[in-house]
Amino acid sequence: MASPPLAVLHRAEAVQVLDLLTVPQVMARLQLGRSAVYDLLRTGQLASITLGRARRIPTHALTDFIRTRLEQEAA
């Protein structure tokens, strides 16, 4: 089976990097309230970026946060 063209691989990687969540989406995924999510952002436990006035959380940051919490619970 032939490998996909390099340009296709770069496009797929770009989609993963640019996969951003809004605060309400994170609230739904974690089943937490708005204040709790903003507390996680404020304390640096959950990474985010600001685009203008909008706050966005990369999906990998949410995955890392969950993984870290699971490791803490297991310890």
Side-chain angles (χ1 to χ4, degrees):
M1 181 170 182
S3 297
L6 192 54
V8 173
L9 291 177
H10 286 287
R11 173 171 247 154
E13 291 171 3
V15 170
Q16 290 177 342
V17 172
L18 297 176
D19 195 12
L20 303 172
L21 301 169
T22 63
V23 169
Q25 289 172 322
V26 172
M27 290 168 51
R29 289 183 185 203
L30 294 178
Q31 297 182 358
L32 292 174
R34 185 177 191 85
S35 296
V37 172
Y38 276 108
D39 284 343
L40 293 173
L41 296 170
R42 182 179 47 76
T43 60
Q45 296 178 63
L46 183 58
S48 69
I49 61 171
T50 304
L51 302 170
R53 292 180 47 164
R55 182 73 69 115
R56 296 293 182 261
I57 299 90
T59 55
H60 71 82
L62 182 59
T63 303
D64 292 344
F65 168 75
I66 293 169
R67 184 178 301 117
T68 300
R69 294 299 296 254
L70 287 170
E71 290 170 357
Q72 290 173 349
E73 294 285 325

Short mmCIF file of all heavy atoms in Angstrom, two decimals:
data_model
loop_
_atom_site.label_atom_id
_atom_site.label_comp_id
_atom_site.label_asym_id
_atom_site.label_seq_id
_atom_site.Cartn_x
_atom_site.Cartn_y
_atom_site.Cartn_z
N MET A 1 0.84 -1.18 0.00
CA MET A 1 0.00 0.00 0.00
C MET A 1 0.88 1.24 0.00
O MET A 1 1.81 1.34 0.79
CB MET A 1 -0.90 -0.03 1.23
CG MET A 1 -1.83 1.12 1.32
SD MET A 1 -3.00 0.79 2.65
CE MET A 1 -3.96 2.23 2.51
N ALA A 2 0.58 2.19 -0.84
CA ALA A 2 1.38 3.40 -0.98
C ALA A 2 1.11 4.36 0.15
O ALA A 2 -0.01 4.45 0.66
CB ALA A 2 1.08 4.07 -2.32
N SER A 3 2.13 5.10 0.56
CA SER A 3 1.97 6.11 1.60
C SER A 3 1.28 7.33 1.02
O SER A 3 1.45 7.64 -0.16
CB SER A 3 3.33 6.54 2.13
OG SER A 3 3.97 5.44 2.73
N PRO A 4 0.50 8.05 1.85
CA PRO A 4 -0.13 9.26 1.35
C PRO A 4 0.92 10.32 1.05
O PRO A 4 2.00 10.30 1.64
CB PRO A 4 -1.05 9.70 2.48
CG PRO A 4 -0.62 8.94 3.68
CD PRO A 4 0.16 7.77 3.20
N PRO A 5 0.62 11.24 0.15
CA PRO A 5 1.57 12.30 -0.15
C PRO A 5 1.92 13.09 1.11
O PRO A 5 1.12 13.21 2.03
CB PRO A 5 0.84 13.20 -1.15
CG PRO A 5 -0.33 12.41 -1.61
CD PRO A 5 -0.60 11.35 -0.59
N LEU A 6 3.12 13.64 1.14
CA LEU A 6 3.60 14.37 2.31
C LEU A 6 2.68 15.53 2.65
O LEU A 6 2.43 15.82 3.82
CB LEU A 6 5.02 14.87 2.05
CG LEU A 6 5.79 15.40 3.24
CD1 LEU A 6 5.82 14.36 4.36
CD2 LEU A 6 7.20 15.77 2.86
N ALA A 7 2.13 16.22 1.65
CA ALA A 7 1.23 17.35 1.90
C ALA A 7 0.00 16.91 2.69
O ALA A 7 -0.48 17.64 3.55
CB ALA A 7 0.81 17.99 0.58
N VAL A 8 -0.49 15.72 2.44
CA VAL A 8 -1.65 15.21 3.17
C VAL A 8 -1.29 14.98 4.63
O VAL A 8 -2.06 15.29 5.53
CB VAL A 8 -2.18 13.92 2.52
CG1 VAL A 8 -3.26 13.28 3.36
CG2 VAL A 8 -2.69 14.20 1.11
N LEU A 9 -0.09 14.46 4.88
CA LEU A 9 0.35 14.24 6.26
C LEU A 9 0.45 15.56 7.01
O LEU A 9 0.02 15.67 8.15
CB LEU A 9 1.69 13.51 6.28
CG LEU A 9 1.68 12.07 5.82
CD1 LEU A 9 3.10 11.51 5.82
CD2 LEU A 9 0.79 11.22 6.71
N HIS A 10 1.00 16.57 6.36
CA HIS A 10 1.11 17.87 7.02
C HIS A 10 -0.27 18.45 7.33
O HIS A 10 -0.47 19.03 8.38
CB HIS A 10 1.91 18.85 6.16
CG HIS A 10 3.37 18.56 6.15
ND1 HIS A 10 4.18 18.81 7.22
CD2 HIS A 10 4.16 18.01 5.20
CE1 HIS A 10 5.41 18.43 6.95
NE2 HIS A 10 5.43 17.94 5.72
N ARG A 11 -1.21 18.28 6.44
CA ARG A 11 -2.56 18.79 6.67
C ARG A 11 -3.20 18.07 7.86
O ARG A 11 -3.82 18.69 8.71
CB ARG A 11 -3.42 18.63 5.43
CG ARG A 11 -4.87 18.97 5.69
CD ARG A 11 -5.66 19.01 4.43
NE ARG A 11 -6.03 20.39 4.28
CZ ARG A 11 -6.31 21.00 3.19
NH1 ARG A 11 -6.26 20.36 2.07
NH2 ARG A 11 -6.65 22.26 3.16
N ALA A 12 -3.04 16.76 7.97
CA ALA A 12 -3.59 16.00 9.09
C ALA A 12 -2.94 16.42 10.40
O ALA A 12 -3.62 16.56 11.42
CB ALA A 12 -3.40 14.50 8.86
N GLU A 13 -1.64 16.65 10.39
CA GLU A 13 -0.96 17.10 11.60
C GLU A 13 -1.45 18.48 11.99
O GLU A 13 -1.64 18.76 13.17
CB GLU A 13 0.55 17.11 11.38
CG GLU A 13 1.15 15.73 11.24
CD GLU A 13 2.59 15.77 10.80
OE1 GLU A 13 3.14 16.88 10.66
OE2 GLU A 13 3.16 14.69 10.60
N ALA A 14 -1.68 19.35 11.04
CA ALA A 14 -2.14 20.71 11.33
C ALA A 14 -3.52 20.68 11.97
O ALA A 14 -3.80 21.45 12.88
CB ALA A 14 -2.17 21.54 10.05
N VAL A 15 -4.38 19.77 11.54
CA VAL A 15 -5.71 19.66 12.13
C VAL A 15 -5.60 19.27 13.60
O VAL A 15 -6.28 19.83 14.44
CB VAL A 15 -6.56 18.63 11.35
CG1 VAL A 15 -7.85 18.33 12.09
CG2 VAL A 15 -6.88 19.16 9.96
N GLN A 16 -4.71 18.36 13.93
CA GLN A 16 -4.52 17.95 15.32
C GLN A 16 -4.00 19.11 16.16
O GLN A 16 -4.45 19.32 17.27
CB GLN A 16 -3.57 16.78 15.41
CG GLN A 16 -4.15 15.50 14.87
CD GLN A 16 -3.14 14.36 14.90
OE1 GLN A 16 -1.94 14.58 15.01
NE2 GLN A 16 -3.64 13.16 14.80
N VAL A 17 -3.06 19.88 15.65
CA VAL A 17 -2.47 20.98 16.38
C VAL A 17 -3.51 22.08 16.61
O VAL A 17 -3.54 22.70 17.67
CB VAL A 17 -1.24 21.55 15.63
CG1 VAL A 17 -0.74 22.82 16.28
CG2 VAL A 17 -0.15 20.50 15.59
N LEU A 18 -4.38 22.31 15.64
CA LEU A 18 -5.33 23.41 15.72
C LEU A 18 -6.66 23.01 16.34
O LEU A 18 -7.58 23.81 16.34
CB LEU A 18 -5.58 23.98 14.31
CG LEU A 18 -4.36 24.59 13.64
CD1 LEU A 18 -4.71 25.03 12.23
CD2 LEU A 18 -3.80 25.73 14.44
N ASP A 19 -6.77 21.82 16.88
CA ASP A 19 -8.01 21.37 17.48
C ASP A 19 -8.18 22.04 18.84
O ASP A 19 -7.53 21.67 19.81
CB ASP A 19 -8.01 19.85 17.60
CG ASP A 19 -9.39 19.28 17.86
OD1 ASP A 19 -10.37 20.04 17.72
OD2 ASP A 19 -9.47 18.10 18.19
N LEU A 20 -9.01 23.08 18.87
CA LEU A 20 -9.20 23.89 20.07
C LEU A 20 -10.61 23.74 20.60
O LEU A 20 -11.56 23.61 19.83
CB LEU A 20 -8.91 25.36 19.76
CG LEU A 20 -7.53 25.68 19.20
CD1 LEU A 20 -7.46 27.13 18.78
CD2 LEU A 20 -6.46 25.37 20.23
N LEU A 21 -10.74 23.81 21.93
CA LEU A 21 -12.04 23.71 22.58
C LEU A 21 -12.38 25.03 23.25
O LEU A 21 -11.50 25.74 23.73
CB LEU A 21 -12.01 22.61 23.65
CG LEU A 21 -11.65 21.21 23.18
CD1 LEU A 21 -11.41 20.31 24.38
CD2 LEU A 21 -12.75 20.66 22.30
N THR A 22 -13.66 25.32 23.32
CA THR A 22 -14.12 26.49 24.06
C THR A 22 -14.29 26.09 25.53
O THR A 22 -14.31 24.92 25.88
CB THR A 22 -15.47 26.98 23.52
OG1 THR A 22 -16.44 25.95 23.72
CG2 THR A 22 -15.38 27.35 22.04
N VAL A 23 -14.43 27.09 26.37
CA VAL A 23 -14.66 26.82 27.79
C VAL A 23 -15.94 26.00 27.99
O VAL A 23 -15.93 25.01 28.73
CB VAL A 23 -14.67 28.12 28.61
CG1 VAL A 23 -15.16 27.88 30.04
CG2 VAL A 23 -13.28 28.74 28.63
N PRO A 24 -17.06 26.34 27.33
CA PRO A 24 -18.26 25.49 27.49
C PRO A 24 -18.04 24.04 27.05
O PRO A 24 -18.59 23.11 27.67
CB PRO A 24 -19.30 26.18 26.63
CG PRO A 24 -18.88 27.61 26.60
CD PRO A 24 -17.38 27.56 26.58
N GLN A 25 -17.23 23.81 26.03
CA GLN A 25 -16.95 22.44 25.61
C GLN A 25 -16.15 21.70 26.68
O GLN A 25 -16.41 20.53 26.96
CB GLN A 25 -16.19 22.43 24.28
CG GLN A 25 -17.04 22.84 23.11
CD GLN A 25 -16.24 23.02 21.85
OE1 GLN A 25 -15.11 23.53 21.87
NE2 GLN A 25 -16.81 22.61 20.72
N VAL A 26 -15.18 22.37 27.29
CA VAL A 26 -14.40 21.77 28.37
C VAL A 26 -15.30 21.52 29.58
O VAL A 26 -15.21 20.47 30.23
CB VAL A 26 -13.19 22.64 28.74
CG1 VAL A 26 -12.48 22.12 29.98
CG2 VAL A 26 -12.22 22.73 27.57
N MET A 27 -16.19 22.46 29.87
CA MET A 27 -17.14 22.28 30.97
C MET A 27 -17.94 21.00 30.76
O MET A 27 -18.11 20.21 31.70
CB MET A 27 -18.10 23.47 31.04
CG MET A 27 -17.48 24.76 31.49
SD MET A 27 -18.53 26.21 31.23
CE MET A 27 -20.07 25.71 31.96
N ALA A 28 -18.42 20.78 29.55
CA ALA A 28 -19.23 19.60 29.26
C ALA A 28 -18.39 18.33 29.37
O ALA A 28 -18.85 17.33 29.92
CB ALA A 28 -19.84 19.72 27.87
N ARG A 29 -17.18 18.36 28.86
CA ARG A 29 -16.34 17.15 28.87
C ARG A 29 -15.92 16.76 30.28
O ARG A 29 -15.83 15.58 30.60
CB ARG A 29 -15.11 17.34 28.00
CG ARG A 29 -15.47 17.36 26.53
CD ARG A 29 -14.26 17.48 25.66
NE ARG A 29 -14.69 17.61 24.27
CZ ARG A 29 -13.93 17.31 23.25
NH1 ARG A 29 -12.71 16.86 23.42
NH2 ARG A 29 -14.38 17.45 22.02
N LEU A 30 -15.66 17.76 31.13
CA LEU A 30 -15.24 17.48 32.49
C LEU A 30 -16.41 17.45 33.47
O LEU A 30 -16.24 17.11 34.63
CB LEU A 30 -14.21 18.52 32.97
CG LEU A 30 -12.87 18.54 32.25
CD1 LEU A 30 -12.00 19.65 32.80
CD2 LEU A 30 -12.18 17.19 32.37
N GLN A 31 -17.57 17.86 33.00
CA GLN A 31 -18.77 17.96 33.83
C GLN A 31 -18.50 18.85 35.04
O GLN A 31 -18.78 18.50 36.19
CB GLN A 31 -19.27 16.59 34.24
CG GLN A 31 -19.70 15.75 33.06
CD GLN A 31 -20.25 14.39 33.44
OE1 GLN A 31 -20.29 14.02 34.61
NE2 GLN A 31 -20.69 13.65 32.45
N LEU A 32 -17.93 20.01 34.75
CA LEU A 32 -17.62 21.02 35.77
C LEU A 32 -18.31 22.32 35.40
O LEU A 32 -18.66 22.55 34.24
CB LEU A 32 -16.11 21.27 35.84
CG LEU A 32 -15.24 20.14 36.37
CD1 LEU A 32 -13.77 20.51 36.24
CD2 LEU A 32 -15.59 19.84 37.82
N GLY A 33 -18.45 23.18 36.38
CA GLY A 33 -19.03 24.49 36.15
C GLY A 33 -18.02 25.46 35.56
O GLY A 33 -16.81 25.19 35.52
N ARG A 34 -18.53 26.58 35.11
CA ARG A 34 -17.70 27.60 34.48
C ARG A 34 -16.59 28.10 35.41
O ARG A 34 -15.43 28.22 35.02
CB ARG A 34 -18.60 28.76 34.05
CG ARG A 34 -17.92 29.85 33.29
CD ARG A 34 -18.97 30.90 32.86
NE ARG A 34 -18.42 31.83 31.91
CZ ARG A 34 -18.36 31.63 30.60
NH1 ARG A 34 -18.84 30.51 30.08
NH2 ARG A 34 -17.84 32.53 29.81
N SER A 35 -16.94 28.37 36.66
CA SER A 35 -15.94 28.88 37.62
C SER A 35 -14.84 27.86 37.85
O SER A 35 -13.66 28.23 37.95
CB SER A 35 -16.60 29.22 38.95
OG SER A 35 -17.51 30.27 38.78
N ALA A 36 -15.19 26.60 37.94
CA ALA A 36 -14.19 25.55 38.16
C ALA A 36 -13.21 25.47 36.99
O ALA A 36 -11.99 25.34 37.19
CB ALA A 36 -14.86 24.20 38.38
N VAL A 37 -13.71 25.57 35.78
CA VAL A 37 -12.84 25.52 34.60
C VAL A 37 -11.94 26.75 34.57
O VAL A 37 -10.72 26.63 34.36
CB VAL A 37 -13.65 25.39 33.29
CG1 VAL A 37 -12.75 25.54 32.07
CG2 VAL A 37 -14.38 24.06 33.25
N TYR A 38 -12.48 27.93 34.84
CA TYR A 38 -11.65 29.13 34.86
C TYR A 38 -10.63 29.09 36.00
O TYR A 38 -9.51 29.61 35.85
CB TYR A 38 -12.50 30.40 34.92
CG TYR A 38 -12.96 30.83 33.55
CD1 TYR A 38 -14.28 30.69 33.15
CD2 TYR A 38 -12.06 31.37 32.63
CE1 TYR A 38 -14.70 31.07 31.89
CE2 TYR A 38 -12.47 31.75 31.35
CZ TYR A 38 -13.78 31.60 30.99
OH TYR A 38 -14.19 31.98 29.73
N ASP A 39 -10.94 28.45 37.12
CA ASP A 39 -9.97 28.27 38.19
C ASP A 39 -8.81 27.39 37.72
O ASP A 39 -7.64 27.67 38.03
CB ASP A 39 -10.61 27.65 39.43
CG ASP A 39 -11.43 28.64 40.23
OD1 ASP A 39 -11.28 29.87 40.02
OD2 ASP A 39 -12.24 28.19 41.06
N LEU A 40 -9.12 26.33 36.97
CA LEU A 40 -8.07 25.46 36.43
C LEU A 40 -7.17 26.24 35.46
O LEU A 40 -5.95 26.07 35.44
CB LEU A 40 -8.68 24.25 35.71
CG LEU A 40 -9.41 23.24 36.58
CD1 LEU A 40 -10.11 22.20 35.71
CD2 LEU A 40 -8.45 22.58 37.56
N LEU A 41 -7.79 27.11 34.67
CA LEU A 41 -7.02 27.93 33.73
C LEU A 41 -6.17 28.95 34.48
O LEU A 41 -4.99 29.15 34.18
CB LEU A 41 -7.96 28.64 32.75
CG LEU A 41 -8.76 27.73 31.82
CD1 LEU A 41 -9.81 28.52 31.07
CD2 LEU A 41 -7.84 27.01 30.85
N ARG A 42 -6.77 29.60 35.47
CA ARG A 42 -6.07 30.65 36.22
C ARG A 42 -4.87 30.10 36.97
O ARG A 42 -3.82 30.74 37.04
CB ARG A 42 -7.04 31.31 37.20
CG ARG A 42 -6.45 32.46 38.01
CD ARG A 42 -7.46 33.08 38.95
NE ARG A 42 -8.22 32.11 39.73
CZ ARG A 42 -7.76 31.45 40.79
NH1 ARG A 42 -6.53 31.63 41.21
NH2 ARG A 42 -8.54 30.59 41.44
N THR A 43 -5.00 28.91 37.54
CA THR A 43 -3.92 28.30 38.32
C THR A 43 -2.89 27.58 37.45
O THR A 43 -1.90 27.07 37.97
CB THR A 43 -4.48 27.31 39.35
OG1 THR A 43 -5.21 26.28 38.67
CG2 THR A 43 -5.37 28.01 40.36
N GLY A 44 -3.12 27.52 36.15
CA GLY A 44 -2.16 26.89 35.25
C GLY A 44 -2.26 25.38 35.19
O GLY A 44 -1.42 24.73 34.57
N GLN A 45 -3.26 24.81 35.83
CA GLN A 45 -3.43 23.36 35.77
C GLN A 45 -3.91 22.91 34.40
O GLN A 45 -3.67 21.77 33.99
CB GLN A 45 -4.44 22.91 36.82
CG GLN A 45 -3.98 23.15 38.24
CD GLN A 45 -5.04 22.73 39.23
OE1 GLN A 45 -5.38 21.55 39.29
NE2 GLN A 45 -5.58 23.68 39.96
N LEU A 46 -4.58 23.80 33.70
CA LEU A 46 -5.08 23.54 32.36
C LEU A 46 -4.58 24.66 31.45
O LEU A 46 -4.86 25.83 31.70
CB LEU A 46 -6.61 23.49 32.37
CG LEU A 46 -7.32 23.15 31.08
CD1 LEU A 46 -6.89 21.79 30.54
CD2 LEU A 46 -8.83 23.16 31.29
N ALA A 47 -3.81 24.29 30.44
CA ALA A 47 -3.21 25.28 29.53
C ALA A 47 -4.25 25.80 28.54
O ALA A 47 -5.19 25.08 28.17
CB ALA A 47 -2.05 24.65 28.77
N SER A 48 -4.06 27.05 28.14
CA SER A 48 -4.97 27.64 27.16
C SER A 48 -4.25 28.74 26.40
O SER A 48 -3.15 29.15 26.77
CB SER A 48 -6.20 28.22 27.86
OG SER A 48 -5.84 29.36 28.63
N ILE A 49 -4.91 29.19 25.34
CA ILE A 49 -4.43 30.35 24.59
C ILE A 49 -5.56 31.35 24.51
O ILE A 49 -6.73 30.99 24.65
CB ILE A 49 -3.93 29.96 23.18
CG1 ILE A 49 -5.06 29.35 22.35
CG2 ILE A 49 -2.75 29.02 23.25
CD1 ILE A 49 -4.70 29.17 20.89
N THR A 50 -5.20 32.60 24.32
CA THR A 50 -6.20 33.66 24.17
C THR A 50 -6.12 34.18 22.74
O THR A 50 -5.04 34.52 22.25
CB THR A 50 -5.94 34.79 25.18
OG1 THR A 50 -5.94 34.24 26.48
CG2 THR A 50 -7.02 35.85 25.08
N LEU A 51 -7.25 34.21 22.09
CA LEU A 51 -7.35 34.76 20.74
C LEU A 51 -8.31 35.94 20.82
O LEU A 51 -9.52 35.75 20.90
CB LEU A 51 -7.89 33.70 19.77
CG LEU A 51 -7.06 32.42 19.67
CD1 LEU A 51 -7.80 31.35 18.88
CD2 LEU A 51 -5.72 32.72 19.06
N GLY A 52 -7.75 37.13 20.86
CA GLY A 52 -8.59 38.30 21.10
C GLY A 52 -9.13 38.22 22.51
O GLY A 52 -8.37 38.13 23.47
N ARG A 53 -10.44 38.18 22.64
CA ARG A 53 -11.05 38.02 23.96
C ARG A 53 -11.48 36.59 24.24
O ARG A 53 -11.99 36.29 25.31
CB ARG A 53 -12.28 38.94 24.06
CG ARG A 53 -11.90 40.41 24.08
CD ARG A 53 -13.10 41.29 24.18
NE ARG A 53 -14.00 40.82 25.24
CZ ARG A 53 -14.96 41.53 25.77
NH1 ARG A 53 -15.15 42.76 25.36
NH2 ARG A 53 -15.74 41.04 26.69
N ALA A 54 -11.28 35.73 23.27
CA ALA A 54 -11.72 34.33 23.40
C ALA A 54 -10.62 33.47 23.99
O ALA A 54 -9.45 33.58 23.64
CB ALA A 54 -12.12 33.79 22.03
N ARG A 55 -11.00 32.59 24.90
CA ARG A 55 -10.08 31.63 25.52
C ARG A 55 -10.31 30.29 24.85
O ARG A 55 -11.45 29.84 24.72
CB ARG A 55 -10.39 31.54 27.00
CG ARG A 55 -9.50 30.64 27.80
CD ARG A 55 -8.12 31.21 28.01
NE ARG A 55 -8.15 32.35 28.88
CZ ARG A 55 -7.58 32.40 30.08
NH1 ARG A 55 -6.93 31.36 30.53
NH2 ARG A 55 -7.64 33.49 30.78
N ARG A 56 -9.23 29.63 24.41
CA ARG A 56 -9.33 28.33 23.77
C ARG A 56 -8.36 27.37 24.43
O ARG A 56 -7.24 27.73 24.77
CB ARG A 56 -9.02 28.41 22.27
CG ARG A 56 -10.01 29.26 21.48
CD ARG A 56 -11.38 28.61 21.46
NE ARG A 56 -12.34 29.37 20.68
CZ ARG A 56 -13.22 30.20 21.19
NH1 ARG A 56 -13.26 30.41 22.49
NH2 ARG A 56 -14.07 30.84 20.42
N ILE A 57 -8.80 26.12 24.58
CA ILE A 57 -8.01 25.09 25.22
C ILE A 57 -7.69 24.03 24.17
O ILE A 57 -8.60 23.41 23.61
CB ILE A 57 -8.79 24.45 26.39
CG1 ILE A 57 -9.12 25.50 27.47
CG2 ILE A 57 -8.00 23.32 27.02
CD1 ILE A 57 -10.41 26.20 27.28
N PRO A 58 -6.40 23.82 23.88
CA PRO A 58 -6.04 22.76 22.94
C PRO A 58 -6.46 21.40 23.50
O PRO A 58 -6.36 21.17 24.71
CB PRO A 58 -4.51 22.86 22.85
CG PRO A 58 -4.18 24.23 23.34
CD PRO A 58 -5.23 24.57 24.33
N THR A 59 -6.92 20.52 22.63
CA THR A 59 -7.37 19.21 23.09
C THR A 59 -6.24 18.45 23.78
O THR A 59 -6.48 17.74 24.75
CB THR A 59 -7.94 18.36 21.95
OG1 THR A 59 -6.98 18.28 20.91
CG2 THR A 59 -9.23 18.93 21.42
N HIS A 60 -5.00 18.64 23.31
CA HIS A 60 -3.89 17.94 23.96
C HIS A 60 -3.68 18.45 25.38
O HIS A 60 -3.26 17.69 26.26
CB HIS A 60 -2.60 18.04 23.12
CG HIS A 60 -1.99 19.40 23.10
ND1 HIS A 60 -1.19 19.87 24.12
CD2 HIS A 60 -2.06 20.39 22.19
CE1 HIS A 60 -0.80 21.10 23.83
NE2 HIS A 60 -1.31 21.44 22.68
N ALA A 61 -3.99 19.72 25.65
CA ALA A 61 -3.86 20.26 27.01
C ALA A 61 -4.89 19.61 27.93
O ALA A 61 -4.58 19.29 29.09
CB ALA A 61 -4.03 21.77 27.00
N LEU A 62 -6.10 19.39 27.42
CA LEU A 62 -7.12 18.72 28.22
C LEU A 62 -6.72 17.27 28.48
O LEU A 62 -6.84 16.78 29.61
CB LEU A 62 -8.48 18.79 27.52
CG LEU A 62 -9.65 18.18 28.28
CD1 LEU A 62 -9.85 18.84 29.64
CD2 LEU A 62 -10.92 18.28 27.45
N THR A 63 -6.20 16.60 27.47
CA THR A 63 -5.74 15.22 27.63
C THR A 63 -4.60 15.14 28.64
O THR A 63 -4.59 14.27 29.51
CB THR A 63 -5.28 14.65 26.28
OG1 THR A 63 -6.35 14.75 25.35
CG2 THR A 63 -4.83 13.21 26.39
N ASP A 64 -3.66 16.09 28.56
CA ASP A 64 -2.54 16.11 29.51
C ASP A 64 -3.04 16.36 30.93
O ASP A 64 -2.55 15.73 31.88
CB ASP A 64 -1.53 17.20 29.13
CG ASP A 64 -0.79 16.90 27.85
OD1 ASP A 64 -0.82 15.74 27.39
OD2 ASP A 64 -0.18 17.84 27.30
N PHE A 65 -4.00 17.26 31.08
CA PHE A 65 -4.56 17.54 32.39
C PHE A 65 -5.20 16.28 32.99
O PHE A 65 -4.95 15.94 34.15
CB PHE A 65 -5.61 18.66 32.29
CG PHE A 65 -6.44 18.82 33.52
CD1 PHE A 65 -5.92 19.41 34.67
CD2 PHE A 65 -7.74 18.36 33.56
CE1 PHE A 65 -6.68 19.55 35.82
CE2 PHE A 65 -8.51 18.49 34.70
CZ PHE A 65 -7.98 19.09 35.84
N ILE A 66 -5.99 15.59 32.20
CA ILE A 66 -6.66 14.37 32.68
C ILE A 66 -5.62 13.30 33.03
O ILE A 66 -5.72 12.65 34.08
CB ILE A 66 -7.67 13.85 31.64
CG1 ILE A 66 -8.82 14.86 31.50
CG2 ILE A 66 -8.18 12.47 32.01
CD1 ILE A 66 -9.72 14.60 30.31
N ARG A 67 -4.62 13.12 32.18
CA ARG A 67 -3.58 12.13 32.43
C ARG A 67 -2.84 12.45 33.74
O ARG A 67 -2.61 11.55 34.56
CB ARG A 67 -2.58 12.09 31.27
CG ARG A 67 -1.51 11.02 31.42
CD ARG A 67 -0.56 10.96 30.23
NE ARG A 67 -1.29 10.69 29.00
CZ ARG A 67 -1.36 11.51 27.96
NH1 ARG A 67 -0.74 12.68 27.99
NH2 ARG A 67 -2.02 11.19 26.88
N THR A 68 -2.50 13.71 33.95
CA THR A 68 -1.81 14.12 35.17
C THR A 68 -2.66 13.84 36.40
O THR A 68 -2.16 13.32 37.41
CB THR A 68 -1.46 15.62 35.10
OG1 THR A 68 -0.61 15.83 33.98
CG2 THR A 68 -0.75 16.08 36.36
N ARG A 69 -3.94 14.16 36.33
CA ARG A 69 -4.83 13.92 37.47
C ARG A 69 -4.96 12.43 37.76
O ARG A 69 -4.99 12.01 38.92
CB ARG A 69 -6.21 14.53 37.22
CG ARG A 69 -6.22 16.05 37.16
CD ARG A 69 -5.76 16.68 38.47
NE ARG A 69 -6.65 16.39 39.57
CZ ARG A 69 -7.48 17.24 40.11
NH1 ARG A 69 -7.57 18.46 39.67
NH2 ARG A 69 -8.26 16.87 41.11
N LEU A 70 -5.04 11.61 36.72
CA LEU A 70 -5.11 10.16 36.91
C LEU A 70 -3.85 9.62 37.58
O LEU A 70 -3.93 8.77 38.47
CB LEU A 70 -5.35 9.45 35.58
CG LEU A 70 -6.74 9.58 34.98
CD1 LEU A 70 -6.76 9.03 33.56
CD2 LEU A 70 -7.76 8.87 35.85
N GLU A 71 -2.69 10.13 37.16
CA GLU A 71 -1.44 9.71 37.76
C GLU A 71 -1.36 10.12 39.22
O GLU A 71 -0.87 9.37 40.06
CB GLU A 71 -0.26 10.27 36.96
CG GLU A 71 -0.10 9.64 35.59
CD GLU A 71 0.91 10.34 34.71
OE1 GLU A 71 1.46 11.39 35.14
OE2 GLU A 71 1.12 9.86 33.59
N GLN A 72 -1.85 11.33 39.54
CA GLN A 72 -1.86 11.80 40.92
C GLN A 72 -2.77 10.94 41.77
O GLN A 72 -2.44 10.61 42.92
CB GLN A 72 -2.32 13.26 41.00
CG GLN A 72 -1.31 14.24 40.44
CD GLN A 72 -1.87 15.65 40.37
OE1 GLN A 72 -3.07 15.87 40.56
NE2 GLN A 72 -1.01 16.61 40.10
N GLU A 73 -3.90 10.57 41.23
CA GLU A 73 -4.86 9.72 41.98
C GLU A 73 -4.29 8.33 42.23
O GLU A 73 -4.54 7.72 43.24
CB GLU A 73 -6.18 9.61 41.22
CG GLU A 73 -6.94 10.91 41.09
CD GLU A 73 -7.62 11.32 42.38
OE1 GLU A 73 -8.08 10.43 43.12
OE2 GLU A 73 -7.70 12.53 42.64
N ALA A 74 -3.51 7.83 41.26
CA ALA A 74 -2.96 6.48 41.38
C ALA A 74 -1.80 6.42 42.36
O ALA A 74 -1.51 5.36 42.92
CB ALA A 74 -2.49 5.99 40.00
N ALA A 75 -1.13 7.57 42.55
CA ALA A 75 0.05 7.60 43.44
C ALA A 75 -0.32 7.52 44.91
O ALA A 75 -1.35 7.68 45.36
CB ALA A 75 0.87 8.86 43.19
#
